[in-house]
């Protein structure tokens, strides 16, 4: 026998029963007739009345009524939805589709997951975000169509060569398929032909170039991967020897050097030294992929491959530039032991440099010498010096001379340090009967020339923003260039305006090569005339 609910409970039940039944919340399947039919309406009314007579229902309704009274009358309108969705005794709503599960949720479960509720339409559910793969250890795989086209080109190039291609035949693959300079043929061929069979087969090339995803890498990464040794993440000077040997053997502009192998070797060394001078700024001797990408070596390699006149490739590969560097070193190396000391270097540029700056160079402050002989500068050290001396506007040169002037190595140049180096310049000007210039006046000129952030000192960052850094350093320790700058040679000014793309080093190398060539032609002419004169003297006898 079911006990009758208390009056308060009855009033609560009466209030709920008086509310209209929200039939849409039942979510009936399509096969159940609409609730508006009289027969179904009667059944629903009886079920609802029975549910109201249950003790648990009376207790639930009483608690809901008390909560509604405590929170105000506005909460009464929310009773039906709260009653149907809250509490463990409330039956679950039936799903709209018969294909969805109708199993009620377990008792005592937490609040329903609205995002996973089957009552929400599919469009309202948040889509699962799929993050595509962005890191590939061996490089991003090429698209299917690109890979298919590459394999088709490989089949055409290897057609009729069942045993594979030899090195001369492989040059077409290097240039047309790999889009690399032809003088990469030897190093690429040896990289694939690991067993030194003398042939590269189709399958071996596809495995190296296509399956390893090398074809989809950028040009810098391709060059870096081909040149570097296994298990290394950097390039050394030795790694560039194979491509330079191939260049010397096959470039038409260097064919004349084949008769002098010793100068072939010196040319290759000079090219490598120039590359590391420009790219390997920290001077470690290990060229990283990042440094390779930041430099202009790739464009210079392509230019050298396309241009028959090697002297037009001003970056790194010009033979005239090598000729100037080597001859200037040979002039200073009077005993020809391939080393120069302080007394030799002080003669550079017709005694243009001060003793104080030469002392700083030989103290190995700007760069450690590679000669391994104390107090001696080797050929590689001289290459770094002459490139820094003749183009003081380049970033490597600015770092070179900044370290020389920075006596205490604290990263800033103070007025005292500037005065220390200018004192010798002032003394030399007095010896040459030049009108002396007070350091205070020069200091104002130097500050105005650089425009530092703080007038009390200068940093390397200040020189990076200035195009007159070369004149700044010349004022301090190169008297000849300082006087030339003060004279404002109109010929040099016009030359700079006509060819703005040329660097100071390019202009210097051009002038020096013409001078050296004229001197050599004059010597040849005098020797030839001497030979003729001797023959004429000896002919009567």
């Amino acid at each position: 026998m079911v006990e009758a609910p208390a009056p308060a409970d009855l009033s609560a039940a009466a209030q709920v029963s008086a509310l209209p039944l929200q039939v849409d919340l039942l979510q009936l399947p399509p096969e159940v007739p609409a609730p508006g039919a009289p027969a179904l309406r009667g059944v629903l009314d009886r079920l609802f009345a029975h549910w109201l007579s249950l003790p648990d229902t009376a207790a639930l309704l009483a608690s809901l009524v008390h909560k509604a009274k405590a929170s105000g009358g506005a909460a009464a309108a929310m009773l039906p939805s709260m009653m149907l969705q809250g509490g463990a005794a409330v039956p679950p709503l039936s799903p709209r589709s018969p294909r969805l599960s109708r199993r009620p949720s377990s008792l005592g479960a937490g609040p329903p997951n609205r995002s996973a509720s089957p009552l929400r339409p599919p469009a309202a559910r948040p889509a699962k975000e799929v993050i595509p793969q962005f890191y590939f250890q061996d490089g991003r795989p090429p698209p299917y169509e690109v890979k298919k086209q590459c394999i088709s080109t490989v089949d055409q190039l290897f057609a009729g060569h069942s045993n594979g291609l030899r090195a001369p035949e492989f040059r077409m693959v290097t240039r047309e398929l790999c889009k690399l300079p032809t003088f990469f043929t030897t190093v690429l061929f040896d990289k694939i032909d690991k067993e030194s069979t003398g042939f590269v087969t189709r399958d071996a090339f596809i495995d190296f170039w296509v399956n390893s995803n090398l074809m989809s890498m950028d040009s810098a990464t391709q060059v870096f991967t081909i040149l570097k040794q296994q298990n290394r993440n950097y390039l050394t000077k030795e790694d560039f020897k194979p491509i330079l040997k191939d260049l010397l053997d096959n470039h038409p502009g260097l064919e004349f050097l084949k008769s002098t192998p010793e100068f072939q070797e010196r040319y290759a060394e000079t090219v490598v030294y120039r590359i590391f001078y420009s790219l390997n700024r920290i001077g470690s001797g290990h060229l990283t992929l990042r440094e390779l990408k930041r430099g202009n070596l790739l464009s210079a390699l392509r230019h050298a491959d396309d241009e028959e006149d090697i002297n037009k490739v001003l970056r790194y590969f010009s033979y005239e530039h090598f000729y100037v560097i080597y001859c200037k070193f040979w002039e200073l190396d009077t005993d020809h032991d391939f080393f120069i000391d302080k007394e030799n270097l002080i003669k550079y540029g017709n005694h243009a440099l001060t003793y104080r700056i030469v002392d700083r160079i030989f103290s190995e402050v700007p760069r450690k010498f590679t000669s391994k002989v104390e107090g001696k500068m080797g050929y590689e050290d001289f290459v770094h010096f002459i490139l820094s001396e003749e183009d003081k506007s380049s970033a490597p040169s600015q770092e070179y001379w900044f370290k020389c002037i920075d006596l205490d190595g604290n990263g800033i140049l103070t007025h005292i340090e500037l005065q220390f180096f200018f004192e010798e310049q002032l003394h030399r000007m007095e010896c040459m009967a030049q009108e002396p210039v007070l350091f205070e006046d020069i200091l104002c000129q130097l500050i105005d020339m650089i425009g530092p952030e703080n007038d009390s000192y200068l940093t390397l960052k200040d020189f990076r923003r200035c195009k007159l850094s070369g004149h700044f350093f010349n004022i301090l320790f190169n008297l000849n260039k300082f006087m030339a700058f003060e004279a404002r040679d109109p010929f040099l000014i016009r030359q700079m305006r006509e060819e703005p793309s040329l660097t100071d080093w390019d202009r210097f190398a051009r002038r020096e090569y013409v001078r050296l060539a004229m001197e050599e032609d004059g010597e040849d002419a005098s020797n030839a005339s001497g030979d003729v004169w001797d023959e004429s003297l000896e002919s009567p006898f």
Side-chain angles (χ1 to χ4, degrees):
M1 190 67 181
V2 179
E3 297 180 358
D9 299 339
L10 289 174
S11 61
Q15 292 177 13
V16 176
S17 62
L19 296 174
L21 179 63
Q22 299 180 11
V23 182
D24 294 339
L25 295 176
L26 296 177
Q27 305 288 330
L28 295 175
E31 60 270 13
V32 178
L40 182 59
R41 170 62 67 179
V43 174
L44 293 177
D45 290 342
R46 288 194 298 271
L47 289 175
F48 186 63
H50 177 70
W51 177 74
L52 288 176
S53 64
L54 296 176
D56 294 340
T57 305
L60 174 64
L61 292 176
S63 64
L64 291 176
V65 169
H66 289 309
K67 290 180 180 180
K69 289 180 179 180
S71 59
M78 300 177 59
L79 279 175
S81 60
M82 293 171 61
M83 181 176 60
L84 292 173
Q85 296 180 10
V90 178
L93 300 176
S94 65
R96 183 181 298 274
S97 172
R99 292 174 300 189
L100 300 177
S101 173
R102 298 190 182 182
R103 291 184 299 175
S105 59
S106 59
L107 298 178
N113 186 357
R114 299 184 60 86
S115 62
S117 173
L119 301 180
R120 300 187 64 187
R125 300 178 187 175
K128 183 178 180 182
E129 183 180 3
V130 179
I131 301 177
Q133 183 178 353
F134 57 88
Y135 173 75
F136 301 88
Q137 185 176 1
D138 298 326
R140 182 179 295 274
Y144 175 76
E145 293 298 331
V146 176
K147 184 176 181 179
K148 181 179 179 182
Q149 182 179 1
C150 179
I151 294 179
S152 176
T153 306
V154 171
D155 292 338
Q156 296 176 7
L157 294 173
F158 281 81
H161 301 275
S162 58
N163 295 330
L165 298 177
R166 296 181 181 271
E169 304 164 341
F170 193 73
R171 301 185 74 84
M172 184 65 67
V173 177
T174 304
R175 183 175 179 85
E176 300 299 330
L177 182 60
C178 302
K179 307 300 182 184
L180 294 172
T182 53
F183 47 87
F184 272 74
T185 299
T186 302
V187 64
L188 181 59
F189 189 92
D190 294 339
K191 204 84 173 182
I192 302 175
D193 184 23
K194 298 179 180 179
E195 303 297 331
S196 300
T197 62
F199 292 91
V200 169
T201 63
R202 170 192 175 277
D203 294 339
F205 177 78
I206 290 179
D207 184 64
F208 177 82
W209 186 256
V210 180
N211 296 340
S212 65
N213 299 331
L214 192 62
M215 61 171 291
S216 60
M217 298 179 182
D218 58 272
S219 300
T221 307
Q222 290 176 348
V223 170
F224 185 81
T225 304
I226 293 172
L227 292 181
K228 77 179 185 69
Q229 300 296 321
Q230 192 175 7
N231 300 326
R232 282 186 182 174
N233 58 351
Y234 56 85
L235 297 176
T236 64
K237 298 180 182 69
E238 295 292 326
D239 296 331
F240 285 89
K241 284 188 175 181
I243 63 172
L244 289 173
K245 184 179 185 307
D246 199 321
L247 178 71
L248 286 164
D249 291 341
N250 298 283
H251 198 285
L254 296 171
E255 188 174 358
F256 68 96
L257 271 182
K258 291 183 177 179
S259 58
T260 54
E262 64 275 11
F263 287 110
Q264 280 188 324
E265 183 179 353
R266 294 302 177 194
Y267 169 81
E269 288 180 357
T270 307
V271 171
V272 174
Y273 296 157
R274 294 184 64 184
I275 291 174
F276 274 76
Y277 169 81
S278 299
L279 303 186
N280 186 223
R281 302 275 284 278
I282 61 176
S284 64
H286 295 166
L287 188 64
T288 63
L289 177 60
R290 182 181 180 184
E291 292 173 330
L292 182 64
K293 289 184 176 181
R294 292 174 59 182
N296 55 5
L297 178 60
L298 297 180
S299 58
L301 291 171
R302 295 191 178 94
H303 190 192
D305 192 42
D306 298 334
E307 180 59 60
E308 292 187 0
D309 186 359
I310 197 66
N311 292 318
K312 292 183 179 180
V313 189
L314 300 180
R315 292 169 295 181
Y316 312 116
F317 294 96
S318 171
Y319 177 80
E320 292 181 356
H321 290 189
F322 153 72
Y323 186 84
V324 169
I325 295 173
Y326 188 83
C327 288
K328 298 295 282 187
F329 180 82
W330 191 254
E331 288 177 355
L332 298 177
D333 182 20
T334 53
D335 56 359
H336 303 313
D337 61 348
F338 229 66
F339 294 105
I340 58 177
D341 54 18
K342 287 184 182 181
E343 297 302 323
N344 299 136
L345 189 63
I346 203 68
K347 301 175 184 177
Y348 179 84
N350 194 19
H351 297 80
L353 301 176
T354 63
Y355 281 93
R356 291 183 178 180
I357 200 67
V358 172
D359 288 340
R360 292 290 289 173
I361 294 173
F362 274 84
S363 63
E364 305 183 23
V365 171
R367 182 179 183 274
K368 296 294 182 182
F369 288 170
T370 59
S371 62
K372 307 301 182 183
V373 179
E374 186 177 359
K376 298 285 186 177
M377 173 187 287
Y379 180 65
E380 180 180 354
D381 308 316
F382 180 78
V383 172
H384 283 252
F385 161 77
I386 192 173
L387 292 176
S388 300
E389 167 59 24
E390 300 303 336
D391 188 4
K392 295 187 177 73
S393 60
S394 66
S397 177
Q398 290 173 346
E399 296 176 7
Y400 189 94
W401 297 118
F402 187 92
K403 293 177 181 178
C404 287
I405 304 299
D406 186 14
L407 295 175
D408 54 5
N410 62 350
I412 61 174
L413 303 183
T414 62
H415 298 173
I416 298 177
E417 291 170 327
L418 302 182
Q419 185 177 8
F420 173 79
F421 286 94
F422 184 74
E423 284 176 352
E424 188 175 352
Q425 285 282 73
L426 182 60
H427 177 70
R428 298 178 72 189
M429 293 172 65
E430 293 174 349
C431 294
M432 296 175 63
Q434 296 286 337
E435 182 180 358
V437 182
L438 297 178
F439 175 73
E440 289 74 14
D441 298 332
I442 287 293
L443 180 60
C444 294
Q445 183 179 355
L446 294 175
I447 296 300
D448 294 339
M449 188 180 295
I450 301 298
E453 295 181 355
N454 192 320
D455 292 345
S456 60
Y457 60 86
L458 298 95
T459 65
L460 187 59
K461 182 179 179 181
D462 297 328
F463 288 92
R464 291 279 190 266
R465 301 192 304 264
C466 178
K467 296 182 179 180
L468 300 176
S469 60
H471 301 308
F472 177 94
F473 292 119
N474 289 331
I475 291 174
L476 295 179
F477 54 77
N478 192 311
L479 184 58
N480 295 346
K481 292 183 179 180
F482 175 34
M483 302 304 294
F485 174 71
E486 291 295 324
R488 300 294 199 280
D489 188 347
F491 175 75
L492 295 178
I493 296 176
R494 185 183 65 182
Q495 189 181 41
M496 294 177 63
R497 291 177 178 176
E498 291 177 351
E499 298 174 313
S501 60
L502 296 182
T503 64
D504 293 341
W505 162 255
D506 296 332
R507 297 187 181 93
F508 166 79
R510 177 191 291 179
R511 295 194 304 268
E512 283 298 307
Y513 183 80
V514 171
R515 181 185 68 83
L516 293 170
M518 292 178 63
E519 290 180 357
E520 186 174 351
D521 291 342
E523 292 178 0
D524 293 343
S526 63
N527 292 336
S529 61
D531 294 341
V532 173
W533 177 256
D534 293 340
E535 291 176 0
S536 63
L537 290 176
E538 295 176 0
S539 57
F541 302 95

